[in-house]
């Protein structure tokens, strides 16, 4: 829903508003993904056992690494939209696309040198991180989006929410024995922990006011 607004703001030369949309879209994309990723990261083994019965070797490792790749990927969604809005994609695609094409030869070399099977996912994750950094560097010139601005308004909030919201579920994960009850408890604790931390540490004052106003409207309806 936010993508058309990013394109429209660039077309009207309202770069300041465009920067805000890029950061907000990236931040909340991460929050939404983290909402599902955290409980799965912690309870990967039991979830796969319930789903597949006979879990293949390395499946848990592959799933966890794939989820980490997804977290890095969603941060870049609005950055890509802002790049496409400029129409000036040649240099961007050569650099970022070229990095993406490095995954296959690097994985081939990794396997040829005897590295473990999960190295393919680790290489993929590292390439995604490097691509994110390149996007930020290129967009500094394309739409005047300062790296520090994106760091302060998006990445810092993502890191705070990820670290702080992980603490209560990890404590439950360590203390409780493996069971369906543990899985359900961790899911509930994750929901409460993530929502609380997002509100307390991941939102700006204006965003909190919007949430309060919405809650009041919902109460009035009932």
């Amino acid at each position: 829903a936010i993508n058309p607004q990013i394109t429209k703001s660039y077309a009207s030369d309202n770069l300041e508003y465009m920067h805000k949309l890029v950061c907000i879209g990236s931040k909340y994309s991460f929050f939404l993904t983290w909402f599902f990723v955290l409980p799965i990261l912690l309870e990967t083994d039991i979830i796969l056992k319930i789903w597949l019965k006979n879990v293949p070797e390395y499946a848990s490792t592959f799933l966890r690494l794939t989820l980490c790749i997804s977290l890095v990927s969603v941060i870049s969604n609005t950055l890509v939209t802002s790049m496409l809005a400029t129409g000036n994609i040649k240099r961007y695609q050569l650099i970022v696309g070229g990095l993406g094409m490095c995954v296959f030869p690097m994985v081939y070399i990794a396997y040829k040198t005897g590295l473990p099977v999960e190295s393919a996912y680790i290489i993929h994750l590292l390439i995604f991180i490097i691509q994110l950094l390149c996007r930020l560097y290129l967009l500094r010139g394309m739409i005047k989006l300062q790296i520090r601005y994106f760091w302060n308004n998006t990445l810092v909030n993502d890191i705070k929410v990820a670290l702080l919201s992980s603490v209560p579920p990890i404590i439950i994960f360590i203390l409780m024995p493996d069971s369906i009850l543990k899985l359900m408890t961790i899911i509930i604790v994750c929901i409460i922990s993530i929502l609380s931390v997002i509100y307390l540490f991941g939102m700006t004052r204006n965003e909190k006011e919007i949430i309060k106003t919405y809650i009041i409207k919902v109460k009035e309806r009932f």
Side-chain angles (χ1 to χ4, degrees), residues 140-152:
R140 186 177 61 174
M142 296 171 71
I143 62 170
K144 297 181 174 60
L145 175 64
Q146 296 299 316
I147 296 174
R148 179 175 293 182
Y149 181 86
F150 189 79
W151 168 262
N152 290 335

Side-chain angles (χ1 to χ4, degrees), residues 125-156:
L125 176 60
L126 292 175
I127 291 294
F128 263 52
I129 293 172
I130 296 171
Q131 284 180 315
L132 173 60
L133 297 175
C134 287
R135 286 188 181 100
L136 291 173
Y137 174 77
L138 292 170
L139 288 173
R140 186 177 61 174
M142 296 171 71
I143 62 170
K144 297 181 174 60
L145 175 64
Q146 296 299 316
I147 296 174
R148 179 175 293 182
Y149 181 86
F150 189 79
W151 168 262
N152 290 335
N153 290 278
T154 300
L155 297 179
V156 167

Side-chain angles (χ1 to χ4, degrees), residues 4 8 12 19 62 97 100 106 124 158:
K8 183 180 178 181
S12 59
H19 297 163
F62 291 164
M106 290 179 67
H124 199 174
D158 292 345

Side-chain angles (χ1 to χ4, degrees), residues 45-62:
D45 293 329
I46 191 167
I47 290 172
L48 287 177
K49 190 174 182 180
I50 293 170
W51 181 26
L52 302 176
K53 305 301 181 184
N54 297 317
V55 181
E57 189 179 6
Y58 301 111
S60 295
T61 302
F62 291 164

Side-chain angles (χ1 to χ4, degrees), residues 191-208:
I191 293 171
I192 297 171
S193 178
I194 292 171
L195 290 177
S196 301
V197 172
I198 287 174
Y199 183 80
L200 294 173
F201 302 101
M203 288 183 170
T204 64
R205 184 176 298 176
N206 290 336
E207 290 166 355
K208 290 178 182 178

Side-chain angles (χ1 to χ4, degrees), residues 3-26:
N3 288 343
Q5 293 298 318
I6 292 174
T7 304
K8 183 180 178 181
S9 59
Y10 179 81
S12 59
D13 202 29
N14 190 353
L15 294 184
E16 183 179 352
Y17 182 58
M18 183 186 189
H19 297 163
K20 289 180 180 179
L21 290 174
V22 168
C23 291
I24 289 171
S26 179

